[in-house]
């Protein structure tokens, strides 16, 4: 079955740049999406189509994709960005949809 | 505004069944597919599948056909997830999430905790 691989944790100080990666064999052909999940809350879409930002999402959130890796970048991370982040995509057929294992971002 | 409101927490014994509802408002229900995602305690997100709210045709992720059933009541803009023969490992928060043609999971329900314990 198809898998997306993320690092379990990333830690930065406030104001630093946080980068969270997501690797998957189909990412050269399929878009990556990123979801933020704060503790006890439902996920929220923060990046779609690799690099687009939904309305209401701060500009410090950006996304990119190259080859088999997609990256979520938070420029000038703030304490309120502390959350779990999940990438999401599909396999090359589009039939199997998967989330990455999630990355816990700590900002302190 | 778009809202997905789910039913409340459930405590069930192994072998029982549970039905979780997801009531949509603020948009035309049949224009957008509905997905189901679960999250076991302390674990990541797991996609269960989706249902075409126009045709009622469900698609299940690998391993979830059989005990998991998606259904609709379009007259009241509500999607349902029914799980039969519950097991302890089904203990999780279950989310419904809307999908557009271009955006997967743009709106989410608040989640429903299903606890399976004897």
């Amino acid at each position: 079955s198809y898998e997306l691989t993320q690092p379990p944790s990333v830690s930065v100080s406030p104001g630093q740049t946080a980068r969270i990666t997501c690797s998957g064999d189909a990412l050269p052909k399929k878009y990556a999406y990123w979801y933020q999940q704060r503790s006890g809350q439902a996920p929220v879409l923060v990046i779609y189509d690799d690099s687009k930002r939904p309305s209401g999402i701060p500009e410090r959130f950006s996304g990119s994709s190259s080859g088999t890796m997609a990256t979520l970048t938070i420029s000038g991370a703030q304490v309120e960005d502390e959350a779990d982040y999940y990438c999401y995509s599909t396999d090359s057929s589009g039939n199997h949809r998967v989330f990455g294992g999630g990355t816990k971002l700590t900002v302190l | 505004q778009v809202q997905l409101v789910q039913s409340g927490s459930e405590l069930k014994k192994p072998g029982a069944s549970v039905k979780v509802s997801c009531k949509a408002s603020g948009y035309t229900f049949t224009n957008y597919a509905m997905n189901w995602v679960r999250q076991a305690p302390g674990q990541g997100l797991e996609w269960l599948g989706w249902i075409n709210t126009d045709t009622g045709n469900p698609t299940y992720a690998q391993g979830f056909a059989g005990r998991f059933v998606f259904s609709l009541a379009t007259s009241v803009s509500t999607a349902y997830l029914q799980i039969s023969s519950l097991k302890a490992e089904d203990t999780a928060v279950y989310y419904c999430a809307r999908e557009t043609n271009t955006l997967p999971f743009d709106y989410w329900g608040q989640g429903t905790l299903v606890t399976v314990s004897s």
Side-chain angles (χ1 to χ4, degrees):
Chain A
S1 61
Y2 185 55
E3 293 184 356
L4 296 172
T5 302
Q6 298 180 234
S9 62
V10 168
S11 183
V12 297
S13 299
Q16 287 188 329
T17 296
R19 293 182 179 85
I20 300 172
T21 59
C22 172
S23 65
D25 289 341
L27 290 179
K29 301 178 182 178
K30 297 296 184 181
Y31 285 128
Y33 302 81
W34 291 93
Y35 295 86
Q36 175 195 67
Q37 187 180 34
R38 294 191 173 107
S39 180
Q41 298 185 18
V44 172
L45 179 67
V46 294
I47 292 290
Y48 68 99
D49 291 357
D50 290 344
S51 59
K52 299 177 183 176
R53 199 174 50 249
S55 62
I57 300 302
E59 290 184 8
R60 64 181 180 273
F61 288 87
S62 63
S64 62
S65 187
S66 177
T68 59
M69 185 169 288
T71 302
L72 172 69
T73 301
I74 307 172
S75 303
Q78 302 184 6
V79 173
E80 60 261 34
D81 299 331
E82 196 163 275
D84 294 323
Y85 290 84
Y86 295 90
C87 62
Y88 162 86
S89 189
T90 71
D91 69 355
S92 54
S93 72
N95 293 327
H96 299 287
R97 309 186 188 191
V98 292
F99 289 95
T103 298
K104 181 176 182 59
L105 174 66
T106 302
V107 183
L108 55 74
Chain B
Q1 74 283 19
V2 174
Q3 280 193 307
L4 301 177
V5 179
Q6 298 184 224
S7 49
S9 298
E10 301 269 9
L11 174 61
K12 296 291 185 181
K13 294 189 183 303
S17 296
V18 68
K19 194 169 187 177
V20 176
S21 67
C22 170
K23 183 171 177 57
S25 61
Y27 70 98
T28 302
F29 181 68
T30 52
N31 284 357
Y32 300 88
M34 192 68 76
N35 287 259
W36 290 95
V37 176
R38 77 176 179 182
Q39 186 170 37
Q43 301 301 308
L45 303 172
E46 185 173 28
W47 180 69
L48 303 181
W50 67 283
I51 185 166
N52 184 319
T53 53
D54 185 34
T55 65
N57 184 48
T59 298
Y60 299 97
Q62 211 165 15
F64 291 100
R67 293 195 303 119
F68 293 74
V69 176
F70 308 146
S71 62
L72 304 170
T74 54
S75 62
V76 289
S77 300
T78 300
Y80 299 95
L81 164 65
Q82 183 161 1
I83 312 170
S84 58
S85 302
L86 283 163
K87 306 174 184 180
E89 51 264 42
D90 294 323
T91 294
V93 175
Y94 289 82
Y95 293 100
C96 59
R98 193 184 80 159
E99 176 178 0
T100 74
N101 286 339
T102 54
L103 280 183
F105 323 135
D106 62 339
Y107 286 92
W108 295 66
Q110 83 277 18
T112 296
L113 174 62
V114 175
T115 303
V116 184
S117 174
S118 55

Short mmCIF file of all heavy atoms in Angstrom, two decimals, chain A residues 40-69:
data_model
loop_
_atom_site.label_atom_id
_atom_site.label_comp_id
_atom_site.label_asym_id
_atom_site.label_seq_id
_atom_site.Cartn_x
_atom_site.Cartn_y
_atom_site.Cartn_z
N GLY A 40 -6.67 18.48 20.50
CA GLY A 40 -8.09 18.38 20.80
C GLY A 40 -9.02 18.99 19.76
O GLY A 40 -10.22 19.08 20.00
N GLN A 41 -8.47 19.40 18.63
CA GLN A 41 -9.29 20.04 17.61
C GLN A 41 -9.27 19.24 16.31
O GLN A 41 -8.44 18.36 16.11
CB GLN A 41 -8.79 21.46 17.34
CG GLN A 41 -8.88 22.38 18.55
CD GLN A 41 -8.50 23.81 18.20
OE1 GLN A 41 -8.48 24.21 17.04
NE2 GLN A 41 -8.19 24.59 19.23
N ALA A 42 -10.23 19.56 15.43
CA ALA A 42 -10.25 18.96 14.10
C ALA A 42 -9.15 19.56 13.24
O ALA A 42 -8.71 20.69 13.47
CB ALA A 42 -11.61 19.19 13.45
N PRO A 43 -8.67 18.81 12.26
CA PRO A 43 -7.64 19.36 11.35
C PRO A 43 -8.16 20.55 10.56
O PRO A 43 -9.36 20.70 10.33
CB PRO A 43 -7.34 18.17 10.43
CG PRO A 43 -7.74 16.96 11.22
CD PRO A 43 -8.95 17.40 12.00
N VAL A 44 -7.21 21.38 10.13
CA VAL A 44 -7.50 22.55 9.30
C VAL A 44 -6.55 22.52 8.10
O VAL A 44 -5.34 22.31 8.27
CB VAL A 44 -7.30 23.85 10.09
CG1 VAL A 44 -7.41 25.07 9.18
CG2 VAL A 44 -8.30 23.94 11.23
N LEU A 45 -7.09 22.75 6.91
CA LEU A 45 -6.28 22.79 5.70
C LEU A 45 -5.44 24.06 5.69
O LEU A 45 -5.99 25.16 5.80
CB LEU A 45 -7.19 22.75 4.47
CG LEU A 45 -6.54 22.82 3.09
CD1 LEU A 45 -5.74 21.56 2.82
CD2 LEU A 45 -7.61 23.02 2.01
N VAL A 46 -4.12 23.93 5.52
CA VAL A 46 -3.25 25.11 5.49
C VAL A 46 -2.57 25.30 4.14
O VAL A 46 -2.16 26.42 3.80
CB VAL A 46 -2.21 25.11 6.63
CG1 VAL A 46 -2.90 25.23 7.99
CG2 VAL A 46 -1.32 23.88 6.58
N ILE A 47 -2.38 24.21 3.37
CA ILE A 47 -1.78 24.30 2.04
C ILE A 47 -2.48 23.28 1.15
O ILE A 47 -2.71 22.14 1.56
CB ILE A 47 -0.27 24.00 2.06
CG1 ILE A 47 0.50 25.09 2.80
CG2 ILE A 47 0.29 23.82 0.63
CD1 ILE A 47 0.57 26.44 2.08
N TYR A 48 -2.82 23.69 -0.09
CA TYR A 48 -3.37 22.75 -1.05
C TYR A 48 -2.64 22.88 -2.38
O TYR A 48 -1.97 23.88 -2.63
CB TYR A 48 -4.88 22.95 -1.21
CG TYR A 48 -5.30 24.25 -1.87
CD1 TYR A 48 -5.64 24.30 -3.22
CD2 TYR A 48 -5.41 25.43 -1.13
CE1 TYR A 48 -6.04 25.47 -3.82
CE2 TYR A 48 -5.81 26.61 -1.71
CZ TYR A 48 -6.13 26.63 -3.06
OH TYR A 48 -6.55 27.81 -3.65
N ASP A 49 -2.77 21.87 -3.22
CA ASP A 49 -2.10 21.85 -4.53
C ASP A 49 -0.62 22.22 -4.39
O ASP A 49 -0.11 23.07 -5.14
CB ASP A 49 -2.80 22.81 -5.50
CG ASP A 49 -4.19 22.34 -5.90
OD1 ASP A 49 -4.59 21.24 -5.48
OD2 ASP A 49 -4.88 23.08 -6.63
N ASP A 50 0.05 21.59 -3.48
CA ASP A 50 1.49 21.76 -3.19
C ASP A 50 1.84 23.08 -2.52
O ASP A 50 2.67 23.10 -1.60
CB ASP A 50 2.34 21.66 -4.47
CG ASP A 50 2.41 20.27 -5.05
OD1 ASP A 50 2.06 19.31 -4.34
OD2 ASP A 50 2.81 20.14 -6.22
N SER A 51 1.28 24.19 -3.03
CA SER A 51 1.82 25.48 -2.61
C SER A 51 0.78 26.59 -2.45
O SER A 51 1.16 27.73 -2.20
CB SER A 51 2.88 25.95 -3.61
OG SER A 51 2.30 26.07 -4.90
N LYS A 52 -0.50 26.28 -2.59
CA LYS A 52 -1.52 27.32 -2.48
C LYS A 52 -2.04 27.41 -1.06
O LYS A 52 -2.17 26.40 -0.36
CB LYS A 52 -2.66 27.03 -3.45
CG LYS A 52 -2.22 27.02 -4.92
CD LYS A 52 -3.37 26.65 -5.83
CE LYS A 52 -2.89 26.58 -7.29
NZ LYS A 52 -3.96 26.13 -8.21
N ARG A 53 -2.37 28.62 -0.66
CA ARG A 53 -2.79 28.88 0.71
C ARG A 53 -4.26 29.27 0.72
O ARG A 53 -4.65 30.23 0.06
CB ARG A 53 -1.94 30.00 1.30
CG ARG A 53 -1.93 30.11 2.80
CD ARG A 53 -0.93 31.16 3.28
NE ARG A 53 -1.10 32.41 2.58
CZ ARG A 53 -0.22 32.92 1.71
NH1 ARG A 53 0.90 32.26 1.46
NH2 ARG A 53 -0.45 34.07 1.11
N PRO A 54 -5.10 28.53 1.48
CA PRO A 54 -6.52 28.93 1.58
C PRO A 54 -6.66 30.31 2.21
O PRO A 54 -5.77 30.75 2.96
CB PRO A 54 -7.12 27.84 2.47
CG PRO A 54 -6.16 26.70 2.43
CD PRO A 54 -4.81 27.33 2.24
N SER A 55 -7.78 30.94 1.93
CA SER A 55 -8.01 32.24 2.55
C SER A 55 -8.07 32.09 4.07
O SER A 55 -8.59 31.10 4.58
CB SER A 55 -9.31 32.86 2.04
OG SER A 55 -10.40 32.03 2.37
N GLY A 56 -7.47 33.04 4.75
CA GLY A 56 -7.47 33.01 6.21
C GLY A 56 -6.24 32.36 6.81
O GLY A 56 -6.03 32.47 8.03
N ILE A 57 -5.45 31.71 6.01
CA ILE A 57 -4.21 31.10 6.50
C ILE A 57 -3.09 32.14 6.41
O ILE A 57 -2.89 32.73 5.35
CB ILE A 57 -3.85 29.84 5.70
CG1 ILE A 57 -4.97 28.80 5.81
CG2 ILE A 57 -2.52 29.26 6.18
CD1 ILE A 57 -5.31 28.37 7.23
N PRO A 58 -2.34 32.35 7.49
CA PRO A 58 -1.30 33.38 7.49
C PRO A 58 -0.24 33.16 6.41
O PRO A 58 0.07 32.02 6.05
CB PRO A 58 -0.68 33.26 8.88
CG PRO A 58 -1.76 32.66 9.73
CD PRO A 58 -2.50 31.74 8.83
N GLU A 59 0.32 34.26 5.91
CA GLU A 59 1.31 34.20 4.83
C GLU A 59 2.58 33.46 5.23
O GLU A 59 3.35 33.03 4.35
CB GLU A 59 1.65 35.62 4.37
CG GLU A 59 0.52 36.31 3.64
CD GLU A 59 0.94 37.68 3.12
OE1 GLU A 59 2.14 38.02 3.18
OE2 GLU A 59 0.06 38.42 2.65
N ARG A 60 2.83 33.32 6.52
CA ARG A 60 4.04 32.62 6.94
C ARG A 60 4.01 31.13 6.58
O ARG A 60 5.04 30.46 6.62
CB ARG A 60 4.31 32.81 8.43
CG ARG A 60 3.26 32.24 9.35
CD ARG A 60 3.64 32.51 10.82
NE ARG A 60 2.66 31.97 11.76
CZ ARG A 60 1.59 32.63 12.14
NH1 ARG A 60 1.36 33.85 11.67
NH2 ARG A 60 0.74 32.07 13.01
N PHE A 61 2.83 30.61 6.24
CA PHE A 61 2.72 29.23 5.81
C PHE A 61 2.90 29.16 4.29
O PHE A 61 2.23 29.85 3.54
CB PHE A 61 1.35 28.65 6.17
CG PHE A 61 1.18 28.38 7.63
CD1 PHE A 61 0.72 29.38 8.48
CD2 PHE A 61 1.45 27.13 8.16
CE1 PHE A 61 0.57 29.15 9.84
CE2 PHE A 61 1.29 26.88 9.52
CZ PHE A 61 0.86 27.90 10.36
N SER A 62 3.84 28.30 3.85
CA SER A 62 4.04 28.11 2.43
C SER A 62 4.37 26.65 2.16
O SER A 62 4.75 25.90 3.07
CB SER A 62 5.16 29.01 1.89
OG SER A 62 6.40 28.68 2.50
N GLY A 63 4.19 26.24 0.91
CA GLY A 63 4.45 24.86 0.55
C GLY A 63 5.21 24.79 -0.76
O GLY A 63 5.14 25.69 -1.59
N SER A 64 5.94 23.70 -0.93
CA SER A 64 6.66 23.45 -2.16
C SER A 64 6.75 21.95 -2.37
O SER A 64 6.50 21.16 -1.45
CB SER A 64 8.05 24.08 -2.12
OG SER A 64 8.82 23.48 -1.08
N SER A 65 7.08 21.58 -3.58
CA SER A 65 7.24 20.15 -3.88
C SER A 65 8.28 19.99 -4.97
O SER A 65 8.27 20.73 -5.97
CB SER A 65 5.90 19.54 -4.32
OG SER A 65 6.02 18.14 -4.45
N SER A 66 9.17 19.05 -4.78
CA SER A 66 10.21 18.76 -5.76
C SER A 66 10.50 17.27 -5.73
O SER A 66 10.84 16.72 -4.68
CB SER A 66 11.48 19.55 -5.44
OG SER A 66 12.51 19.23 -6.36
N GLY A 67 10.35 16.64 -6.90
CA GLY A 67 10.57 15.21 -6.96
C GLY A 67 9.61 14.47 -6.04
O GLY A 67 8.41 14.72 -6.05
N THR A 68 10.16 13.59 -5.22
CA THR A 68 9.32 12.77 -4.35
C THR A 68 9.14 13.39 -2.96
O THR A 68 8.73 12.70 -2.03
CB THR A 68 9.92 11.36 -4.19
OG1 THR A 68 11.25 11.48 -3.65
CG2 THR A 68 9.99 10.63 -5.53
N MET A 69 9.46 14.67 -2.81
CA MET A 69 9.32 15.30 -1.50
C MET A 69 8.55 16.62 -1.57
O MET A 69 8.85 17.48 -2.39
CB MET A 69 10.70 15.55 -0.88
CG MET A 69 10.64 16.11 0.54
SD MET A 69 12.22 16.11 1.36
CE MET A 69 12.44 14.36 1.66
#
